[in-house]
Structures are given as C-alpha cells and as structure tokens.
Amino acid sequence: MFNCTFNIVHLLTRVQRRASRLGLKKHFTCFFTKMTMKPSNNIWIRRQQCPCGDWKCYVKYEGDDQTSVSSQLIKNETTSTSSSSEAVFMPYVGQIFKTDEDAFEYYSNFARKNGFSIRKARSTESQNLGIYRRDFVCYRSGFNQPRKKANVEHPRDRKSVRCGCDAKLYLTKEIVNSVTQWYISQFSNVHNHELLEDDQVRLLPAYRKIQEADQERILLLSKAGFPVNRIVKVLELEKGVQPGQLPFIEKDVRNFVRTCKKSVQENDALLTEKRENDTLEFLEACKAMAERDADFVYDYTTDENSKVENISWSYADSVRAYTVFGDVVTFDTTYRSITYGLLLGVWFGIDNHGKPVFLGCALLQDESLNSFAWALQTFLRFMRGRCPQTVLTDIDSSLRDAIARELPDTKHVICSWHVHSKLSSWFMPSLGSQYEEFKAEFDMLCHLEGIEEFEHQWNHLVARFGLASDKHIALLFSYRTSWPLSYIRSYFLARSMTAEFYQSLDEFFKRILSGQTCLQLFFEQVWFAADLRNRSKEALQYMHTKTCLPIEENARSILTPYAFNALQHEIVQSMQYATTELANGSYLVRHYKKMEGEYLVIWISQDEQIHCSCKEFEHSGILCRHCLRVLTVKNYFEIPEKYILFRWRLESSLVALEDQNGQCNSDEYAQVFHSLAATLLTESLFTKERFNHVHRELTRLLEHVRNMPVSNEFASNMAANNISES
C-alpha cells in the first residue's frame, strides 16, 4: 500500500515540476495539496540544547510550559469548552452537545475521574443525515473474538481485558431550526468490573500521552544512543518526579521511538524533497520582492550539492531605521523550526519610543561558528558596513566567537533575560527548597555596581550553596564580562534590557511564528510585521511636569514621552541629593539620607562636559540624577545639547506622530485642571465625610467621561492624555 502511495506522490511531484515550467504551478499546488495530505504546520520551538556544551543537558525556560509557539496557538484554537480540569457531572439522557467530539471528550473526562476509560464503538449512517448515531462504550465492553493462532512454537496467550461491561453512552443527531446538535439517547454507568484508583487509571492506554516537548527530548536522547530505560530515567530526573510517575510508561516510549524510526525511514525522501521545494519557493519570493522593491536586500549560501543552506534578508525601512537606531542591536536566536531544521536569527533595534524595530532576519542550517559568522557578515553588508556599538545575544560559544571575529570593536552583552530564564533548569534540581533563596541572592548579585564587590559576593554565593563544582556556575563565571551590571555598566544599551522591551519582542515572535504551513507564508508574515506602515502612529501624550525646574520643561519639548519619563524620574530624584564641591571643580554627590554610596561628578566647564561615576549616561543615553543635580547647582536652565541624544528625540521617530501641536495647546487646559484639583483637594481634607464624597463623585465623573464618544480633535487629545493622567 505504501509503495503505491509513494508512486502516486512521486508521479504528482513530477507533474508539479512540469506544471511549474508551463506557468501552471499556482493552480497545481492547490490540487497537489488536496491529493496528498492536509499541510502540517511549520512548528517553531525554543532552543532546548544547553549552552554548557553537554548534549545530555536540557533547558526548560521559566514561565514557558509550552516550548512550541505554533502548537500552543493551535491548541488554543481547538480547545473544547469542556476540559479535564473543570467539574464534569454524570451524563444524562437528553443532554445536548454541539458536536459528537464534544460529547466524547465530556464522557472521557467523566470516565477518567471515575476510574475507567472509554472507546468509540459503532456508528450508524444514512444517505440524508450522514452519520446520525455514535456509540461510546467502556474500554472493557464486549468480548474478544478468538483469533487464529500463529504457526509458532510458543505462541503468546494474552488475556483480554474485555469482560462484557455494559457501561455505555449512545448519541443521536438531530436538526433543530436548521442547527445540528447531538443528544444522549441511552446512558448506563453500571460496570461489572472494579473501577480503578487515580494512580492506576492514569496508566490506562487512553490516558498515556507523550506531549510534544517530551517527544522532542525522547528523539534527541534516542539519537544520541540512550536505551529506552535510561531515557525514562533522564525524563524523571528532569521533571523532578518519582520513578513510575511520568504520564506514560516505558512501553509507550519504546513504541514511540520504533514508530518514529520507521516513519522517518519511509518519509525521509518525501520530507527532504518538500524542504528543498519550499526553500526554492522562498528564494523565489525573495527574488520577486527584490524586483518590486529595489531597496530590498537578500543573500544565501549553498552547499557542495548546490542546495540552499543559509538565507538572510532585510528591508528598506530596516536599513533606514538602522541609521538612527543601529547603535544597539539584539540578535535573537531563541527559536528554530523542527519542520525545516532551521535556526531563526532576528536582528532588532530599539527606537525612541522604547519599542523594537526589525532590522533583519536569517535562517541558518546549524549553530556553527561559520554559520553565525556568515549571518554577521551579511547583516553588516546590508547595513552598509556600519558596526553597532553593542550587540545583545543569548549564551552561545559559537556566536560569541563569531562576534569577536567579525565585530572586534563591538561590545558583546548577554541579555539578562536569557540568563535568568535558564536558572531553574540549571539549579532547581540540585538546590531543591534552597532554590528560591539562591535566586533572590543571584538577582542582587546581578545589580552590584563594583567588579571587586561582584567577585567577592560571587565566591560567597558559590560557597554557601555548594556549587563550586557545578558546570553551569563555571559557565556563567566564564561569561562574567558580558552579563552582570558591574562589568557592562559602561556599555551603551539604550534601555534595551528592560522587561517591557523583552515583552515586545515576545509579542513580535508570536505574530510571525503562528499558523504557517511553509516558509513562504513565514516570509510574508515577517514582511507584514516588519513593515513600518503597519505600525500604529505614536500619540504625542501630554507630559506633566513634576518640578519647577526649567531643565524639565526644556526636555519635555524635545524628547519622546518614553525618553522624557526616564529623564523626568532622574530629575525628580536629583532633588534629594546634596553636592560637595571639590578643589578641582568636580563634585561629590550623595543622597541626603544615605551616608554611603557617594558618586563623583566631573565637570569641565570649558566645553560643558559632565561625567558621573555611575555611568548611567554611557549605559542608557539618559543623564543621571547626579549630573542633573550638578547642572542645577551650576544654574543650567537647559540640558547641554550633546547630552540629549538624537535617538531619543521626537524628530527621530520612524512613523509620523499624531497631533504634534497637542502638547502646546494642552498647557492652558492643564493649568486650569491643576488649579481646580488643588482647590478640591484642600477643601476635601477638612473632614473624612468630605473626602469620601469627593472621591465617590470623582470616580463616577471619571467613568462617565470615559464612556463619552470622542467626536473631535480636542476631545481625542484631552481625553486620551490629560484626563487619563489625572
């Protein structure tokens, strides 16, 4: 049967090629898909191989139970209204379901909670209604028919589990007001056998499922030569469960490995050809894009057999954005496609509103030094040879070596999120109940400012938790010049290590990695997500001043709301610091309550240079509170031009700003509201009754205003900005 199917598919493939030459490829593709199979999704998973280099080491990311983006989205779309975690009551005659599958899932959940499993028995079909009856029965229903014994010396005589149990649920289809529904026509919950306890019912074949993430791990260990019994032991250790407590048994693992090996052998030729065809179609899409847009750039490499290995591309908007926001780039290599065996690398910058901007993309065959070096070379060529000041990546020795070779003058930083996301996989199994305490101390360690203090506290941490021989502690220490604040505080990062920025990156990946069946669809989704025309315009919010300092007013008129909020926080904090002038014109700046933690601010009046030992401006491009305090003392009413970077200014925005004059027009109205609010506060504080009344009425007024329709430019600007701030 398989040979026949293979011949048909092979013939169809040849016809497809012929149709392509005749210009009929688009029409034939639809026919080919229907004749073979429904296209499977292009599944993307997080890289699970640990950067420590031990192929047996496996990383499960904190807060990420589902490692597959695509499979998670598909699961969400197909989840039924009744789930096993919800309360499931005993079915009854007349109970109605939208579909027969809903009824089967409901009955299955009921069965599991009551110590048995079910199976599908017969179905009845008619010409008019199609299948109009479904019978679901207990797994021990009926009796096994005697089979002809095989002609072997010692035939196996397996005892059947079927004992004629009469527990059942029969469904009947009906059409009411042109709507199809299913109702229970017969139900019996009488069993002639013992029902199982919770720890036994989970071992029934119907409930022994190997999840996708576990399948990936099993195949990896099997390929590495692990026998099945050792694979089970490894999974038990990784999941932290007692022996025999996995949701599947050793027999299931053995059957899965055997089935996969057979399936891979049978379909390898078809899969290889599909991958090659999809890759060629991907290149055709790149070529078509280049013909439509002369500024679109792409490149690729081929192996000794002229098959495509690596592909990289970028867009005109990305190249333009790089000229402003290319000082700090993030090269994210978190995901890989298990369908095509390709590693995904995406280049991002951070714009003046704190949001990621797409700069380029690469699909790589492997994670070798040569592949990463090619990706770096190609990206620089796309960006006209300009190197970034700083590049942020995950922990990867090959990628680190490639950056050192191709970008020798660029600072390399390991994203703090990538470090923290691996901690539970690395240390929870060995530390157990001590892990939370270890994690808290590790977080404090990451934010220490002095290198000597970091190394002293690091040694203390390692000794306290007995981690001197731990390979992951050694790995982190070998990368220490790239991730703790004490080492990278003078590197320019442009606020690209904030939680908000990483959340935005995660949202970008969810948009481009969902619902694909081929590489060409992936290419289209990347194009749509990267196109600046599809980004919403930034609303120029009204930004309240919190001090009377002219410096704050000056910054408000120049910076984006994102950058101004960061600077404003420093301005407010600067008012709590005292200054002591030194003989050379420099200043010691210290918080008025704290006797420790003083900072040295160097002031050079000739060319208006100011430098602080905290290195905040060098780190984020935003002046620190210590420098701002000195500028105030020096009677500066505006921040020196050189300390308001172009990358944070309103004029550097990639997309148009809405209502650029809104802020100026809003000042008069803001003053009126502030005056009224101040008077209302004073009057309401005389008695508790007054305060409660004002609070109640303001809450009601705010809710009413929010529900009012927005009908003109004034209402749009004021309602969205001023009142929401109040």
Side-chain angles (χ1 to χ4, degrees):
M1 180 66 181
F2 174 78
N3 289 335
C4 178
T5 304
F6 179 84
N7 289 335
I8 292 173
V9 172
H10 184 66
L11 176 62
L12 287 169
T13 304
R14 292 179 62 186
V15 175
Q16 184 185 25
R17 291 173 180 164
R18 177 67 174 169
S20 178
R21 288 195 293 269
L22 295 175
L24 301 174
K25 183 175 182 181
K26 181 177 180 181
H27 301 285
F28 183 82
T29 301
C30 181
F31 168 75
F32 179 79
T33 301
K34 292 179 180 179
M35 286 292 293
T36 52
M37 64 187 76
K38 181 181 178 181
S40 59
N41 273 37
N42 181 14
I43 304 298
W44 298 88
I45 64 167
R46 292 187 187 272
R47 293 168 67 188
Q48 297 176 333
Q49 187 62 47
C50 182
C52 70
D54 184 354
W55 55 267
K56 295 177 290 184
C57 195
Y58 170 82
V59 175
K60 181 179 179 182
Y61 294 87
E62 287 189 12
D64 186 20
D65 295 330
Q66 295 290 338
T67 57
S68 167
V69 173
S70 300
S71 61
Q72 174 68 12
L73 291 169
I74 296 167
K75 181 179 178 181
N76 290 341
E77 291 172 1
T78 58
T79 300
S80 176
T81 53
S82 62
S83 103
S84 58
S85 60
E86 297 174 350
V88 180
F89 301 101
M90 182 179 292
Y92 56 90
V93 174
Q95 187 174 358
I96 296 174
F97 298 91
K98 290 182 179 180
T99 67
D100 53 339
E101 289 300 326
D102 287 350
F104 182 79
E105 185 177 354
Y106 188 91
Y107 191 26
S108 180
N109 292 334
F110 169 79
R112 178 161 189 167
K113 292 179 182 295
N114 287 273
F116 67 103
S117 67
I118 63 171
R119 58 184 171 85
K120 295 178 181 179
R122 66 178 182 175
S123 60
T124 308
E125 187 175 1
S126 73
Q127 188 173 2
N128 295 329
L129 290 175
I131 296 177
Y132 66 90
R133 174 170 163 168
R134 292 279 195 190
D135 294 355
F136 306 143
V137 297
C138 174
Y139 78 113
R140 302 193 69 176
S141 172
F143 297 95
N144 265 9
Q145 297 297 323
R147 293 181 294 179
K148 184 178 180 180
K149 292 186 178 181
N151 188 19
V152 293
E153 185 176 352
H154 300 290
R156 290 185 296 178
D157 188 15
R158 292 180 178 174
K159 185 177 180 181
S160 173
V161 298
R162 299 193 180 184
C163 60
C165 179
D166 194 43
K168 60 193 175 186
L169 185 151
Y170 292 169
L171 280 177
T172 301
K173 181 165 70 174
E174 64 178 357
I175 299 176
V176 179
N177 296 328
S178 302
V179 177
T180 301
Q181 61 185 25
W182 295 78
Y183 69 92
I184 299 177
S185 54
Q186 292 186 52
F187 173 70
S188 170
N189 197 37
V190 178
H191 299 265
N192 64 352
H193 56 88
E194 214 175 300
L195 298 178
L196 304 177
E197 299 294 333
D198 287 343
D199 61 337
Q200 296 173 315
V201 73
R202 70 180 183 83
L203 297 176
L204 292 175
Y207 305 129
R208 299 200 309 259
K209 305 293 184 183
I210 303 179
Q211 298 299 322
E212 186 178 293
D214 294 329
Q215 293 177 9
E216 177 83 8
R217 186 62 173 152
I218 290 169
L219 290 178
L220 178 65
L221 293 172
S222 177
K223 188 176 180 180
F226 273 52
V228 171
N229 61 337
R230 287 190 64 194
I231 291 176
V232 173
K233 292 292 184 185
V234 169
L235 291 173
E236 289 172 345
L237 289 172
E238 290 176 348
K239 293 177 177 294
V241 300
Q242 295 297 319
Q245 293 302 307
L246 290 171
F248 45 84
I249 61 176
E250 187 175 309
K251 176 184 175 182
D252 301 321
V253 177
R254 182 171 288 105
N255 290 339
F256 171 72
V257 171
R258 186 184 299 119
T259 302
C260 284
K261 285 182 178 179
K262 181 181 178 182
S263 176
V264 167
Q265 290 171 358
E266 291 177 344
N267 297 289
D268 188 56
L270 289 175
L271 289 174
T272 300
E273 188 164 7
K274 180 185 184 303
R275 289 171 179 171
E276 291 176 3
N277 289 338
D278 282 0
T279 305
L280 291 176
E281 288 182 357
F282 185 91
L283 287 180
E284 288 294 323
C286 289
K287 183 178 179 181
M289 177 70 77
E291 291 174 353
R292 295 196 306 269
D293 182 359
D295 293 320
F296 172 79
V297 286
Y298 74 101
D299 197 5
Y300 63 96
T301 62
T302 56
D303 61 14
E304 60 275 8
N305 298 317
S306 299
K307 294 180 180 178
V308 177
E309 282 185 317
N310 307 312
I311 311 172
S312 185
W313 69 98
S314 186
Y315 306 97
D317 283 344
S318 300
V319 176
R320 179 167 61 89
Y322 186 81
T323 60
V324 182
F325 306 115
D327 42 16
V328 178
V329 298
T330 298
F331 187 41
D332 193 292
T333 55
T334 303
Y335 292 95
R336 68 178 303 114
S337 168
I338 61 173
T339 308
Y340 294 95
L342 295 172
L343 177 71
L344 173 63
V346 185
W347 298 90
F348 294 100
I350 179 171
D351 69 9
N352 55 343
H353 296 278
K355 295 181 179 179
V357 52
F358 176 89
L359 298 177
C361 200
L363 292 172
L364 307 175
Q365 280 289 344
D366 54 42
E367 302 167 25
S368 66
L369 170 62
N370 290 336
S371 292
F372 285 132
W374 178 85
L376 292 168
Q377 293 167 6
T378 307
F379 177 73
L380 288 180
R381 189 167 67 253
F382 290 167
M383 301 302 152
R384 299 164 186 172
R386 179 189 167 193
C387 298
Q389 293 183 40
T390 312
V391 59
L392 291 86
T393 72
D394 196 353
I395 302 176
D396 189 293
S397 59
S398 297
L399 183 53
R400 176 183 61 178
D401 295 342
I403 291 172
R405 190 174 82 183
E406 303 297 332
L407 300 172
D409 298 324
T410 297
K411 305 294 187 183
H412 180 207
V413 173
I414 304 299
C415 300
S416 59
W417 181 88
H418 288 299
V419 174
H420 285 82
S421 65
K422 298 177 177 64
L423 292 181
S424 61
S425 290
W426 284 349
F427 302 113
M428 186 179 286
S430 59
L431 294 178
S433 60
Q434 288 184 298
Y435 171 73
E436 291 300 328
E437 187 179 356
F438 164 82
K439 185 180 177 184
E441 291 197 21
F442 186 89
D443 289 341
M444 293 177 60
L445 197 69
C446 293
H447 293 90
L448 294 176
E449 294 185 356
I451 293 177
E452 292 184 3
E453 185 182 7
F454 169 83
E455 296 198 354
H456 172 73
Q457 293 296 333
W458 177 269
N459 293 332
H460 176 73
L461 180 77
V462 171
R464 181 182 175 190
F465 292 96
L467 298 171
S469 60
D470 188 275
K471 61 184 178 183
H472 298 119
I473 280 289
L475 175 71
L476 286 174
F477 193 70
S478 68
Y479 277 86
R480 67 188 180 281
T481 59
S482 300
W483 60 270
L485 178 63
S486 54
Y487 283 91
I488 65 172
R489 60 193 300 218
S490 61
Y491 295 179
F492 184 59
L493 298 181
R495 300 177 62 83
S496 58
M497 289 234 286
T498 63
E500 294 79 12
F501 183 71
Y502 286 112
Q503 184 179 359
S504 298
L505 290 186
D506 189 53
E507 292 171 357
F508 181 90
F509 280 113
K510 286 180 180 177
R511 289 198 300 272
I512 69 171
L513 300 183
S514 60
Q516 305 145 16
T517 55
C518 65
L519 288 177
Q520 188 172 350
L521 285 177
F522 168 71
F523 176 74
E524 293 172 359
Q525 288 176 195
V526 171
W527 173 81
F528 185 82
D531 192 350
L532 293 178
R533 291 171 297 181
N534 297 322
R535 294 181 65 164
S536 59
K537 292 183 178 181
E538 297 291 342
L540 186 56
Q541 303 174 5
Y542 178 75
M543 298 174 285
H544 293 285
T545 56
K546 297 182 179 180
T547 70
C548 298
L549 298 177
I551 279 182
E552 183 185 15
E553 187 66 36
N554 168 244
R556 184 176 70 151
S557 64
I558 299 173
L559 299 174
T560 63
Y562 174 81
F564 175 73
N565 285 336
L567 181 66
Q568 186 183 54
H569 176 72
E570 296 299 314
I571 292 174
V572 171
Q573 293 299 315
S574 71
M575 302 178 73
Q576 301 181 30
Y577 282 76
T579 61
T580 303
E581 187 172 4
L582 304 179
N584 60 358
S586 299
Y587 290 82
L588 282 180
V589 182
R590 182 191 293 119
H591 192 275
Y592 80 102
K593 282 186 177 179
K594 301 174 183 176
M595 294 298 102
E596 298 179 359
E598 61 185 12
Y599 296 89
L600 176 64
V601 177
I602 299 174
W603 167 252
I604 304 174
S605 59
Q606 289 81 356
D607 50 1
E608 295 186 320
Q609 288 191 45
I610 191 165
H611 306 278
C612 181
S613 58
C614 78
K615 305 288 186 182
E616 178 61 31
F617 181 77
E618 290 82 353
H619 193 66
S620 67
I622 301 292
L623 271 183
C624 65
R625 59 197 67 177
H626 319 111
C627 289
L628 290 166
R629 181 58 180 157
V630 171
L631 288 176
T632 304
V633 169
K634 303 299 290 185
N635 295 323
Y636 266 76
F637 302 124
E638 293 183 357
I639 296 175
E641 191 77 9
K642 68 178 74 174
Y643 294 109
I644 299 184
L645 299 185
F646 180 73
R647 69 155 5 267
W648 294 129
R649 295 175 179 238
L650 287 165
E651 59 194 288
S652 66
S653 296
L654 297 174
V655 293
L657 294 169
E658 289 185 345
D659 191 19
Q660 299 228 24
N661 297 318
Q663 181 168 301
C664 298
N665 296 333
S666 299
D667 285 347
E668 180 182 346
Y669 302 110
Q671 291 176 8
V672 173
F673 274 110
H674 286 169
S675 177
L676 284 173
T679 305
L680 191 60
L681 176 63
T682 302
E683 294 294 332
S684 65
L685 290 179
F686 280 104
T687 65
K688 186 176 180 180
E689 183 181 0
R690 281 192 179 190
F691 176 81
N692 291 337
H693 174 74
V694 170
H695 183 271
R696 182 171 58 253
E697 293 300 318
L698 283 178
T699 303
R700 187 181 305 165
L701 176 62
L702 180 60
E703 187 65 27
H704 174 72
V705 172
R706 281 177 175 164
N707 293 329
M708 291 175 65
V710 179
S711 58
N712 55 57
E713 185 178 354
F714 172 81
S716 176
N717 184 61
M718 296 302 293
N721 301 317
N722 291 343
I723 298 178
S724 63
E725 287 284 345
S726 301

